[in-house]
Amino acid sequence: MSNRVTLKDLEGMSVKDMCAIPVDMLPLLQDDLAALKSAYEFASDNVQRVFDTKYADTAEGERKDATGVVYIDDGDWAVRCETRKRVVWDQDILHTILDQIEANGENPDDYAQAKWFVPERNFNNWPAPLRARFEAARRVLASTPSYQMRRR
């Protein structure tokens, strides 16, 4: 019998009990999670491949456009196949068009939205006077911590 704590064991534990897990068990739990994630991704890719192999050609033939929903009969089953639209805009072309709109006296904000950002690496390499001008627009938020363990 092993004293190894498993992911299944965590299901019935309180946070207090989880915090009492010996430190040498924590990297084992991380390994278990990595293995589960890998297995999930592998299985998910394969199930998607099965659907694509069985139904993609039929769905493409039935669909009137490149995107949309079609239903395929397969015995007692109706298979719903949805291909969603994902739009990507060419930023250089948009910038040109919006400049023309502004030159004609219209407000480009009425037609498009922009989300400006400054790469952190760039910001950190700027001279101090330039960084100071941008400080008021910069907010640093903490992300969820991640932990890695290494035996010493």
Side-chain angles (χ1 to χ4, degrees), residues 3-4 22 24 46 61 67 80 85 100 103 116-117 132 134 141:
N3 288 333
R4 181 173 180 334
D24 61 334
N46 280 313
T67 60
R80 181 181 189 271
K85 186 187 309 185
Q100 292 167 353
W116 295 97
F117 73 97
F134 281 80
L141 305 173

Side-chain angles (χ1 to χ4, degrees), residues 10-59:
L10 297 179
E11 291 176 15
M13 296 175 97
S14 68
V15 173
K16 181 180 177 186
D17 290 339
M18 286 184 219
C19 289
I21 294 172
V23 68
D24 61 334
M25 294 287 167
L26 297 177
L28 299 174
L29 290 170
Q30 285 182 315
D31 291 346
D32 293 346
L33 286 172
L36 273 177
K37 182 177 180 183
S38 177
Y40 167 80
E41 289 170 354
F42 178 79
S44 179
D45 289 347
N46 280 313
V47 169
Q48 183 66 38
R49 207 173 346 268
V50 168
F51 276 93
D52 288 343
T53 302
K54 286 181 68 100
Y55 304 114
D57 288 342
T58 304

Side-chain angles (χ1 to χ4, degrees), residues 55-107:
Y55 304 114
D57 288 342
T58 304
E60 192 170 320
E62 294 287 323
R63 210 175 20 252
K64 292 176 179 53
D65 296 312
T67 60
V69 177
V70 295
Y71 294 90
I72 302 165
D73 289 324
D74 190 354
D76 291 338
W77 293 88
V79 180
R80 181 181 189 271
C81 177
E82 179 177 8
T83 303
R84 293 183 180 196
K85 186 187 309 185
R86 183 175 161 264
V87 178
V88 178
W89 294 90
D90 183 301
Q91 297 301 297
D92 293 333
I93 294 172
L94 275 180
H95 192 250
T96 301
I97 294 168
L98 294 172
D99 283 346
Q100 292 167 353
I101 288 172
E102 189 171 36
N104 290 335
E106 294 182 76
N107 183 357

Side-chain angles (χ1 to χ4, degrees), residues 20 32 38 61 111 115 128 135:
D32 293 346
S38 177
Y111 302 98
K115 180 178 180 180
E135 281 289 343

